[in-house]
Amino acid sequence: MGILNVTPDSFSGDGRPVEAAILRGRALIAAGADMLDIGGESTRPGMTPVTVAEEIARVVPVIQALAPLIPISIDTRNAATMAAGLSAGARVVNDVTALRHDPAALEVVAQSGCPVIIMHMPGTDPRHMQAQTAYTDVVAEVRDFLLTRAKTLRQAGICDICLDPGIGFGKTLPQNLALLRALPALVAQGLPVLLGASRKSFISGISPAPVEQRLPGSLAAALAGADAGVAWLRVHDVAETRQALAVWAAIHGAGETA
Protein backbone atom coordinates (compact mmCIF):
# COMPACT_ATOMS: atom_id res chain seq x y z
CA MET A 1 0.00 0.00 0.00
CA GLY A 2 1.60 3.22 -1.17
CA ILE A 3 1.16 6.30 1.00
CA LEU A 4 -0.11 9.41 -0.76
CA ASN A 5 -0.43 12.48 1.45
CA VAL A 6 -2.33 15.43 0.00
CA THR A 7 -1.23 17.71 2.83
CA PRO A 8 1.31 20.46 3.44
CA ASP A 9 2.34 19.11 6.86
CA SER A 10 2.99 15.38 6.54
CA PHE A 11 5.49 14.14 9.16
CA SER A 12 7.49 12.41 6.44
CA GLY A 13 7.85 15.52 4.33
CA ASP A 14 6.07 13.96 1.35
CA GLY A 15 2.81 15.92 1.46
CA ARG A 16 1.79 17.37 -1.88
CA PRO A 17 -0.81 19.66 -3.44
CA VAL A 18 -3.40 18.03 -5.68
CA GLU A 19 -1.63 18.03 -9.06
CA ALA A 20 1.67 16.90 -7.57
CA ALA A 21 -0.14 14.19 -5.60
CA ILE A 22 -1.65 12.79 -8.78
CA LEU A 23 1.79 12.60 -10.38
CA ARG A 24 3.18 10.97 -7.23
CA GLY A 25 0.32 8.48 -7.24
CA ARG A 26 1.10 7.46 -10.80
CA ALA A 27 4.75 7.01 -9.83
CA LEU A 28 3.77 4.76 -6.90
CA ILE A 29 1.63 2.68 -9.24
CA ALA A 30 4.53 2.33 -11.67
CA ALA A 31 6.76 1.31 -8.76
CA GLY A 32 4.47 -1.62 -7.95
CA ALA A 33 1.90 -0.47 -5.40
CA ASP A 34 -1.14 -2.73 -5.03
CA MET A 35 -3.23 0.02 -3.43
CA LEU A 36 -2.87 3.72 -2.63
CA ASP A 37 -3.83 5.18 0.74
CA ILE A 38 -4.86 8.79 0.17
CA GLY A 39 -5.21 11.23 3.06
CA GLY A 40 -5.90 14.94 3.29
CA GLU A 41 -5.20 15.54 7.00
CA SER A 42 -1.93 14.87 8.80
CA THR A 43 -2.17 12.54 11.80
CA ARG A 44 1.29 13.26 13.21
CA PRO A 45 1.61 14.31 16.86
CA GLY A 46 0.74 17.98 17.24
CA MET A 47 -1.01 18.06 13.87
CA THR A 48 -3.26 20.97 12.93
CA PRO A 49 -6.77 19.73 12.11
CA VAL A 50 -8.30 20.85 8.82
CA THR A 51 -11.96 21.44 8.08
CA VAL A 52 -13.85 18.57 6.50
CA ALA A 53 -14.51 20.77 3.45
CA GLU A 54 -10.78 21.37 2.98
CA GLU A 55 -10.00 17.69 3.48
CA ILE A 56 -12.57 16.71 0.84
CA ALA A 57 -11.28 19.35 -1.57
CA ARG A 58 -7.78 17.91 -1.23
CA VAL A 59 -8.52 14.22 -1.67
CA VAL A 60 -11.47 13.92 -4.05
CA PRO A 61 -9.70 15.16 -7.22
CA VAL A 62 -6.78 12.83 -6.50
CA ILE A 63 -9.06 9.85 -5.95
CA GLN A 64 -11.02 10.62 -9.11
CA ALA A 65 -7.81 10.76 -11.15
CA LEU A 66 -6.26 7.58 -9.74
CA ALA A 67 -9.21 5.29 -8.94
CA PRO A 68 -9.47 4.03 -12.55
CA LEU A 69 -5.86 2.84 -12.25
CA ILE A 70 -5.62 1.16 -8.84
CA PRO A 71 -7.67 0.35 -5.71
CA ILE A 72 -7.68 3.27 -3.28
CA SER A 73 -8.28 3.58 0.45
CA ILE A 74 -9.41 6.88 1.87
CA ASP A 75 -7.43 7.73 5.00
CA THR A 76 -9.70 9.86 7.18
CA ARG A 77 -11.44 10.03 10.56
CA ASN A 78 -14.38 12.07 9.21
CA ALA A 79 -17.56 10.42 7.97
CA ALA A 80 -18.29 13.06 5.33
CA THR A 81 -14.82 12.59 3.86
CA MET A 82 -15.30 8.83 3.89
CA ALA A 83 -18.54 9.21 1.96
CA ALA A 84 -17.01 11.69 -0.51
CA GLY A 85 -13.96 9.48 -1.04
CA LEU A 86 -16.07 6.38 -1.65
CA SER A 87 -18.28 8.30 -4.08
CA ALA A 88 -15.16 9.47 -5.92
CA GLY A 89 -13.97 5.88 -6.39
CA ALA A 90 -12.18 4.77 -3.21
CA ARG A 91 -12.88 1.16 -2.23
CA VAL A 92 -11.59 1.04 1.35
CA VAL A 93 -11.82 3.26 4.44
CA ASN A 94 -8.74 3.60 6.67
CA ASP A 95 -9.44 5.33 9.99
CA VAL A 96 -6.74 5.89 12.62
CA THR A 97 -9.49 6.21 15.24
CA ALA A 98 -11.17 2.90 14.34
CA LEU A 99 -14.43 4.70 13.44
CA ARG A 100 -14.63 6.37 16.87
CA HIS A 101 -13.96 10.02 16.06
CA ASP A 102 -17.10 10.65 14.03
CA PRO A 103 -20.38 9.11 15.26
CA ALA A 104 -21.62 8.84 11.66
CA ALA A 105 -18.63 6.81 10.47
CA LEU A 106 -20.06 3.41 11.40
CA GLU A 107 -23.18 4.04 9.33
CA VAL A 108 -21.23 5.33 6.31
CA VAL A 109 -18.99 2.25 6.21
CA ALA A 110 -21.82 -0.19 6.95
CA GLN A 111 -24.03 1.23 4.22
CA SER A 112 -21.22 1.23 1.67
CA GLY A 113 -20.26 -2.38 2.35
CA CYS A 114 -16.60 -1.47 1.87
CA PRO A 115 -13.65 -2.97 3.74
CA VAL A 116 -12.31 -0.94 6.65
CA ILE A 117 -8.91 -0.68 8.33
CA ILE A 118 -9.16 0.07 12.04
CA MET A 119 -6.12 1.27 13.95
CA HIS A 120 -5.28 1.44 17.63
CA MET A 121 -4.66 4.92 18.96
CA PRO A 122 -5.31 6.16 22.50
CA GLY A 123 -8.14 8.64 22.23
CA THR A 124 -9.32 10.09 18.93
CA ASP A 125 -7.17 13.21 18.61
CA PRO A 126 -3.66 12.70 17.19
CA ARG A 127 -2.52 15.98 18.73
CA HIS A 128 -2.51 14.43 22.20
CA MET A 129 -1.77 10.75 21.60
CA GLN A 130 1.85 10.84 22.76
CA ALA A 131 0.71 11.99 26.20
CA GLN A 132 -1.27 8.75 26.57
CA THR A 133 1.31 5.98 26.71
CA ALA A 134 0.64 4.58 30.20
CA TYR A 135 -0.13 0.96 29.32
CA THR A 136 0.05 -1.94 31.76
CA ASP A 137 0.57 -4.44 28.92
CA VAL A 138 0.69 -2.69 25.56
CA VAL A 139 0.45 -5.89 23.50
CA ALA A 140 -2.59 -7.21 25.34
CA GLU A 141 -4.30 -3.82 25.45
CA VAL A 142 -3.81 -3.12 21.74
CA ARG A 143 -4.97 -6.63 20.82
CA ASP A 144 -8.03 -6.43 23.04
CA PHE A 145 -8.94 -2.97 21.77
CA LEU A 146 -8.78 -4.09 18.15
CA LEU A 147 -10.73 -7.30 18.70
CA THR A 148 -13.39 -5.54 20.76
CA ARG A 149 -13.70 -2.82 18.16
CA ALA A 150 -13.94 -5.42 15.39
CA LYS A 151 -16.80 -7.08 17.28
CA THR A 152 -18.60 -3.74 17.50
CA LEU A 153 -18.16 -3.21 13.78
CA ARG A 154 -19.53 -6.65 12.98
CA GLN A 155 -22.58 -5.91 15.10
CA ALA A 156 -23.09 -2.80 12.95
CA GLY A 157 -22.98 -4.92 9.80
CA ILE A 158 -19.34 -4.35 8.83
CA CYS A 159 -17.66 -7.65 8.02
CA ASP A 160 -14.49 -6.93 6.04
CA ILE A 161 -12.11 -5.66 8.74
CA CYS A 162 -8.33 -5.23 8.80
CA LEU A 163 -6.41 -4.53 12.01
CA ASP A 164 -3.58 -2.01 12.43
CA PRO A 165 -1.68 -1.98 15.75
CA GLY A 166 -0.87 1.71 15.29
CA ILE A 167 2.91 1.78 15.40
CA GLY A 168 3.96 5.25 16.54
CA PHE A 169 0.48 6.32 17.56
CA GLY A 170 0.56 6.90 21.31
CA LYS A 171 3.43 4.49 21.93
CA THR A 172 6.97 4.76 23.24
CA LEU A 173 9.96 3.12 21.56
CA PRO A 174 9.84 0.00 23.83
CA GLN A 175 6.08 -0.26 23.25
CA ASN A 176 6.49 -0.05 19.47
CA LEU A 177 9.14 -2.76 19.59
CA ALA A 178 6.92 -4.96 21.75
CA LEU A 179 4.09 -4.62 19.23
CA LEU A 180 6.39 -5.44 16.32
CA ARG A 181 7.60 -8.56 18.13
CA ALA A 182 3.97 -9.52 18.82
CA LEU A 183 2.80 -9.24 15.20
CA PRO A 184 2.59 -13.05 14.75
CA ALA A 185 0.20 -13.25 17.71
CA LEU A 186 -1.98 -10.48 16.26
CA VAL A 187 -2.02 -12.17 12.86
CA ALA A 188 -3.04 -15.41 14.59
CA GLN A 189 -6.30 -13.77 15.72
CA GLY A 190 -7.64 -14.52 12.25
CA LEU A 191 -8.20 -11.06 10.79
CA PRO A 192 -5.89 -9.45 8.21
CA VAL A 193 -3.31 -7.12 9.70
CA LEU A 194 -1.80 -3.96 8.22
CA LEU A 195 1.61 -2.75 9.34
CA GLY A 196 2.42 0.94 8.98
CA ALA A 197 5.97 1.50 10.19
CA SER A 198 7.44 3.39 7.26
CA ARG A 199 9.78 6.27 8.20
CA LYS A 200 8.36 6.51 11.72
CA SER A 201 10.26 8.05 14.60
CA PHE A 202 10.86 4.78 16.46
CA ILE A 203 13.44 4.03 13.75
CA SER A 204 15.40 7.12 14.76
CA GLY A 205 15.10 6.05 18.38
CA ILE A 206 17.11 2.94 17.47
CA SER A 207 19.45 4.46 14.89
CA PRO A 208 19.28 8.28 14.81
CA ALA A 209 18.35 9.60 11.39
CA PRO A 210 16.18 12.36 9.94
CA VAL A 211 12.92 11.22 8.42
CA GLU A 212 14.23 11.23 4.84
CA GLN A 213 17.04 8.82 5.84
CA ARG A 214 14.90 6.10 7.45
CA LEU A 215 14.51 3.79 4.47
CA PRO A 216 16.79 1.03 5.83
CA GLY A 217 14.89 0.92 9.11
CA SER A 218 11.58 0.99 7.25
CA LEU A 219 12.64 -2.01 5.20
CA ALA A 220 13.73 -3.90 8.31
CA ALA A 221 10.30 -3.33 9.86
CA ALA A 222 8.57 -4.32 6.62
CA LEU A 223 10.44 -7.63 6.50
CA ALA A 224 9.51 -8.28 10.13
CA GLY A 225 5.92 -7.79 9.04
CA ALA A 226 6.37 -10.18 6.14
CA ASP A 227 7.83 -12.78 8.51
CA ALA A 228 4.80 -12.34 10.77
CA GLY A 229 2.35 -12.81 7.91
CA VAL A 230 0.76 -9.37 7.74
CA ALA A 231 -1.63 -8.81 4.85
CA TRP A 232 -0.56 -5.26 4.01
CA LEU A 233 2.49 -3.05 4.33
CA ARG A 234 1.72 0.67 4.25
CA VAL A 235 4.88 2.32 2.89
CA HIS A 236 6.30 5.49 1.39
CA ASP A 237 8.99 3.73 -0.64
CA VAL A 238 7.18 1.24 -2.85
CA ALA A 239 9.92 0.17 -5.27
CA GLU A 240 12.46 -0.37 -2.51
CA THR A 241 10.00 -2.35 -0.41
CA ARG A 242 9.06 -4.46 -3.43
CA GLN A 243 12.72 -5.34 -3.96
CA ALA A 244 13.24 -6.21 -0.30
CA LEU A 245 10.14 -8.43 -0.35
CA ALA A 246 11.26 -10.13 -3.55
CA VAL A 247 14.60 -11.07 -1.99
CA TRP A 248 12.89 -12.13 1.26
CA ALA A 249 10.45 -14.31 -0.72
CA ALA A 250 13.26 -15.89 -2.76
CA ILE A 251 15.19 -16.73 0.41
CA HIS A 252 12.09 -18.34 1.90
CA GLY A 253 11.20 -20.09 -1.36
CA ALA A 254 7.80 -18.48 -1.62
CA GLY A 255 5.95 -15.78 -3.52
CA GLU A 256 5.54 -12.36 -1.94
CA THR A 257 2.94 -12.53 0.82
CA ALA A 258 2.71 -8.85 1.72
Side-chain angles (χ1 to χ4, degrees):
M1 176 185 285
I3 299 168
L4 190 54
N5 294 313
V6 195
T7 61
D9 57 347
S10 166
F11 89 92
S12 59
D14 70 333
R16 291 169 170 82
V18 168
E19 291 303 321
I22 293 170
L23 291 175
R24 174 62 176 166
R26 290 176 177 152
L28 291 172
I29 294 168
D34 294 307
M35 182 181 291
L36 296 182
D37 189 47
I38 298 177
E41 179 184 63
S42 173
T43 52
R44 62 182 174 82
M47 49 78 83
T48 300
V50 300
T51 66
V52 172
E54 174 62 22
E55 186 184 26
I56 291 172
R58 290 175 178 180
V59 300
V60 163
V62 182
I63 294 171
Q64 289 173 331
L66 298 174
L69 307 176
I70 190 171
I72 288 173
S73 65
I74 173 66
D75 181 1
T76 181
R77 56 198 181 118
N78 296 308
T81 309
M82 295 173 192
L86 293 167
S87 295
R91 303 185 195 178
V92 178
V93 165
N94 181 14
D95 183 359
V96 298
T97 74
L99 305 185
R100 293 177 299 140
H101 169 72
D102 191 326
L106 271 172
E107 183 178 0
V108 167
V109 174
Q111 288 188 348
S112 75
C114 73
V116 63
I117 301 162
I118 57 171
M119 195 192 79
H120 174 273
M121 178 179 71
T124 61
D125 190 335
R127 289 176 293 181
H128 310 305
M129 61 186 174
Q130 287 308 118
Q132 302 178 64
T133 60
Y135 304 92
T136 301
D137 181 336
V138 68
V139 170
E141 290 174 48
V142 168
R143 178 200 64 216
D144 292 349
F145 168 86
L146 291 171
L147 295 179
T148 299
R149 194 63 187 154
K151 182 179 179 181
T152 299
L153 267 59
R154 289 195 194 96
Q155 291 170 344
I158 301 167
C159 299
D160 196 342
I161 302 166
C162 181
L163 310 179
D164 179 349
I167 300 299
F169 281 77
K171 284 95 177 177
T172 64
L173 173 57
Q175 291 164 353
N176 285 314
L177 292 174
L179 288 168
L180 288 166
R181 295 186 193 107
L183 282 173
L186 186 59
V187 170
Q189 299 303 314
L191 289 171
V193 173
L194 178 145
L195 175 63
S198 180
R199 299 189 187 178
K200 289 190 174 174
S201 60
F202 82 93
I203 296 169
S204 185
I206 299 166
S207 178
V211 66
E212 67 275 9
Q213 295 178 20
R214 295 176 189 166
L215 175 60
S218 299
L219 295 178
L223 294 180
D227 276 329
V230 302
W232 287 97
L233 295 169
R234 183 179 181 275
V235 304
H236 298 86
D237 304 290
V238 169
E240 294 85 349
T241 306
R242 274 288 187 201
Q243 184 182 83
L245 286 172
V247 174
W248 172 89
I251 291 169
H252 288 274
E256 289 183 10
T257 60

